[in-house]
Amino acid sequence: MKFSRMLSALSGLLVLGLLVANTAIAGGAIEGEVEKQPVNVSAIVMFLLFVVATLGITYWAARRTKSAKDFYTAGGGITGFQNGLAIAGDYMSAATLLGVSGLVFAKGYDGFIYTIGFLVGWPIILFMMAERLRNLGKYTFADIVSFRLEQTPIRTLAASGALAVVVLYLIAQMVGAGKLIQLLFGLDYAYAVFLVGIMMMIYVTFGGMIATTWVQIIKACLLLGGGTMMALLAMSQFGFNLETLATKAVEVHDDGIKLMAPGGLLADPISAISLGMALMFGTAGLPHILMRFFTVTDAKEARKSVFFATGFVGYFFMVVCIIGLSAIVIVGTDSQFLTADGKLIGGNNMAAMHLSKAVGGDLFLGFISAVAFATILAVVSGLALAGASAISHDLYASVFKKGKATEQEEIKVSRLATLGLGMTAIILGILFEKQNIAFMVGLAFGIAGSANFPVLILSMYWRGLTTKGAFYGGFIGLFTALALVVLSPTIWVSIFGFEEAIFPYKHPALFSMTTAFFAIWAISKMDKSAQAKKEALLFENQEVRSQTGLGAEGAAAH
């Protein structure tokens, strides 16, 4: 595909993204003050059972993890269906279950539109990236970007972008874990953060990608199964008729018929467009999602992975919407779940949990609570592995050791990096307890869309990309995204205390991503060096491999 055709395809997808850009980040839906609930013994017991099972998987995986390929990519032998489940497990968070269902409970139709934005990024990955990722990559997305460009500067850039996204996402997940455990288990915030951090380090340090993959698969099955059961139990009270459910919801909700009309989650169109771009293109730049495409046997399985993942994620969002709508009728009219002033106990984020108790009793509530918390373990494990891989494979082995590090040295550094990331996540999770996690998740998507995605997609499709263009343009996108968020109302006003923000919008992607693409293009065009000409010639070899898979990494034999 030519550069112009690539831009045409991207512009078409952008139009689709802007149609659903009036969304927000579900990963940041759990925010603000939460109420500590009574200790839920059944939830704790079920969660401990999950922990024991996954520790058993980690022990099994540790015995099979013998090489760097095993550690980073599970030997490249995961099937498309398994990887699709694992990607869905990586992508579906507890915050999605609680936050989106809570939004549907409060806003109705707007909450449903909210979910669509998360699916818009997947066609980009399916049609433009999945096969090329598998054919060109080995362990990290930096392998693809540096395929024909200089290793040291490009891997430094890729590792910087990956670590920025991973750290921000980890903070958000750790804060979410602490608040979830207050909501669901009745334990203290710090205990939750510490527990998640320790479990994450155990999974990744000993089991690598094999353990992480199976933890994500189990988590996805539990989340899909538990959500489906809750939705079916709730729908049984309405004769399994969505029209009946919607009619009842309109009758009892304070907004009446407005519940089924679009509102204004993001009234400012610039912020809506910017957030839509971050969601759509940021998904295609998340390092822990990209890394999963190196775990399958070949490009065909990579394509299947996206197909299955999109189906699982889309189905899950539909289930969550039914849960939120059912909660309006079943929970919103039941006094045992309401405070004296008619508010939902624990806030709107507890809608799904209260519904689980209403339709399945305390035991089902315990199961859903355990699943909700277990999901965070799967997400942070994938994030930690992506961050550790950036440190060990891109920085240590390729930049510092110039490709001369042994596999065992690389694995050792990766495990040490996992411990370091785990401790960092615990400390920052505790320090950021009172902060709004929505902006951290939004910033993670914004950086992924501004620093990782432009360099990655142009390296795949544009012959004219040069090392200088990718390096300087990528860092310009990264620093622009960071600077604009610092100058935005979220940081400049809410945290620093200034009266007025220098940058008036909360989401930077529209500006930082545009700046990154322009900078990469302009600097590459101005680069007339011999190295730039050589890199253009190497594009032919890259194109052959990306299309045919000749020379691509094969699966390891076990």
Side-chain angles (χ1 to χ4, degrees):
M1 182 184 292
K2 301 295 184 183
F3 183 49
S4 59
R5 291 174 62 194
M6 182 202 74
L7 289 179
S8 177
L10 285 177
S11 63
L13 287 167
L14 176 58
V15 171
L16 176 60
L18 298 185
L19 292 176
V20 295
N22 191 23
T23 62
I25 301 287
I30 301 176
E31 57 187 70
E33 293 298 319
V34 298
E35 298 179 24
K36 184 176 177 180
Q37 302 296 304
V39 174
N40 189 330
V41 177
S42 60
I44 294 175
V45 170
M46 291 184 187
F47 177 69
L48 289 176
L49 290 174
F50 174 84
V51 169
V52 170
T54 51
L55 285 176
I57 291 172
T58 304
Y59 175 75
W60 166 78
R63 300 183 64 181
R64 294 168 59 91
T65 302
K66 300 181 177 65
S67 66
K69 191 171 183 65
D70 293 331
F71 186 83
Y72 290 128
T73 66
I78 304 297
T79 68
F81 179 78
Q82 292 169 342
N83 199 44
L85 263 178
I87 291 173
D90 227 348
Y91 199 69
M92 298 182 303
S93 68
T96 306
L97 172 63
L98 302 185
V100 175
S101 61
L103 185 60
V104 175
F105 176 83
K107 299 289 186 180
Y109 179 83
D110 272 352
F112 176 73
I113 295 298
Y114 188 99
T115 65
I116 299 176
F118 290 91
L119 297 175
V120 180
W122 291 102
I124 297 175
I125 302 176
L126 175 59
F127 295 112
M128 301 185 69
M129 297 175 64
E131 291 189 21
R132 292 172 184 259
L133 284 168
R134 181 61 184 85
N135 287 337
L136 295 174
K138 186 177 182 182
Y139 298 148
T140 68
F141 79 92
D143 294 330
I144 299 156
V145 182
S146 63
F147 188 89
R148 61 187 175 91
L149 306 181
E150 293 183 46
Q151 296 283 318
T152 299
I154 294 303
R155 287 190 182 274
T156 302
L157 165 70
S160 300
L163 287 172
V165 173
V166 164
V167 169
L168 286 166
Y169 224 138
L170 270 177
I171 294 173
Q173 292 295 333
M174 298 303 273
V175 174
K179 294 188 175 184
L180 267 175
I181 210 158
Q182 286 178 289
L183 284 169
L184 308 179
F185 289 74
L187 299 178
D188 289 334
Y189 176 86
Y191 292 156
V193 172
F194 187 77
L195 176 61
V196 171
I198 294 298
M199 292 303 302
M200 171 190 75
M201 289 188 278
I202 291 173
Y203 291 151
V204 178
T205 302
F206 295 104
M209 181 58 87
I210 298 175
T212 300
T213 296
W214 284 102
V215 168
Q216 289 165 344
I217 288 173
I218 292 173
K219 167 256 177 136
C221 292
L222 288 173
L223 198 58
L224 289 167
T228 300
M229 180 62 67
M230 196 193 314
L232 289 174
L233 289 172
M235 286 297 295
S236 67
Q237 300 189 21
F238 305 97
F240 297 100
N241 189 314
L242 280 173
E243 184 178 358
T244 303
L245 170 60
T247 302
K248 291 280 188 183
V250 168
E251 289 176 1
V252 302
H253 199 276
D254 292 339
D255 291 342
I257 193 62
K258 291 182 180 178
L259 185 71
M260 295 301 168
L265 288 177
L266 289 174
D268 173 24
I270 299 297
S271 293
I273 293 171
S274 192
L275 180 55
M277 290 179 65
L279 272 176
M280 180 167 59
F281 297 112
T283 299
L286 294 175
H288 61 296
I289 297 295
L290 296 174
M291 192 176 181
R292 292 230 52 90
F293 291 98
F294 310 130
T295 65
V296 292
T297 53
D298 52 35
K300 180 181 178 181
E301 295 300 311
R303 193 169 59 247
K304 284 183 181 179
S305 298
V306 190
F307 175 78
F308 285 121
T310 306
F312 290 134
V313 173
Y315 171 77
F316 177 69
F317 281 133
M318 287 192 294
V319 167
V320 169
C321 288
I322 292 174
I323 289 172
L325 205 58
S326 300
I328 294 174
V329 182
I330 298 173
V331 175
T333 58
D334 192 333
S335 60
Q336 68 170 314
F337 301 116
L338 304 176
T339 61
D341 59 352
K343 302 289 185 181
L344 200 63
I345 296 175
N348 289 339
N349 289 318
M350 285 293 285
M353 310 316 298
H354 290 321
L355 181 66
S356 66
K357 182 176 181 178
V359 299
D362 286 333
L363 191 63
F364 192 53
L365 169 63
F367 172 74
I368 296 297
S369 299
V371 170
F373 188 60
T375 59
I376 288 184
L377 290 179
V379 175
V380 297
S381 296
L383 286 167
L385 188 55
S389 301
I391 293 171
S392 61
H393 181 63
D394 295 331
L395 293 180
Y396 174 76
S398 300
V399 175
F400 300 136
K401 285 291 188 176
K402 308 295 183 183
K404 296 180 181 178
T406 66
E407 281 197 353
Q408 294 309 312
E409 288 175 339
E410 199 172 324
I411 293 175
K412 181 180 179 180
V413 171
S414 189
R415 285 173 169 155
L416 290 173
T418 301
L419 296 177
L421 283 170
M423 294 307 299
T424 301
I426 290 171
I427 294 170
L428 292 178
I430 293 173
L431 291 176
F432 278 75
E433 177 184 359
K434 301 299 182 182
Q435 298 300 325
N436 184 322
I437 65 175
F439 89 90
M440 284 185 285
V441 179
L443 179 55
F445 272 78
I447 289 176
S450 302
N452 298 345
F453 175 73
V455 175
L456 180 60
I457 199 72
L458 289 176
S459 71
M460 289 180 175
Y461 286 97
W462 187 34
R463 179 193 307 274
L465 180 67
T466 68
T467 297
K468 290 181 180 178
F471 181 76
Y472 292 110
F475 270 117
I476 287 172
L478 173 61
F479 290 131
T480 301
L482 289 171
L484 291 181
V485 168
V486 171
L487 299 175
S488 72
T490 306
I491 303 288
W492 200 252
V493 176
S494 301
I495 295 179
F496 291 164
F498 292 100
E499 291 186 6
E500 188 174 347
I502 297 174
F503 179 68
Y505 307 107
K506 290 184 178 181
H507 304 287
L510 174 61
F511 304 93
S512 56
M513 185 175 164
T514 304
T515 301
F517 268 109
F518 178 77
I520 294 170
W521 172 80
I523 296 171
S524 294
K525 280 293 187 181
M526 291 187 289
D527 187 1
K528 304 298 182 183
S529 64
Q531 178 66 27
K533 294 178 181 177
K534 178 183 176 182
E535 290 165 355
L537 292 174
L538 290 173
F539 182 77
E540 294 296 338
N541 292 334
Q542 175 185 304
E543 187 71 0
V544 170
R545 175 162 162 175
S546 69
Q547 296 279 13
T548 64
L550 293 174
E553 287 286 318
H558 287 289

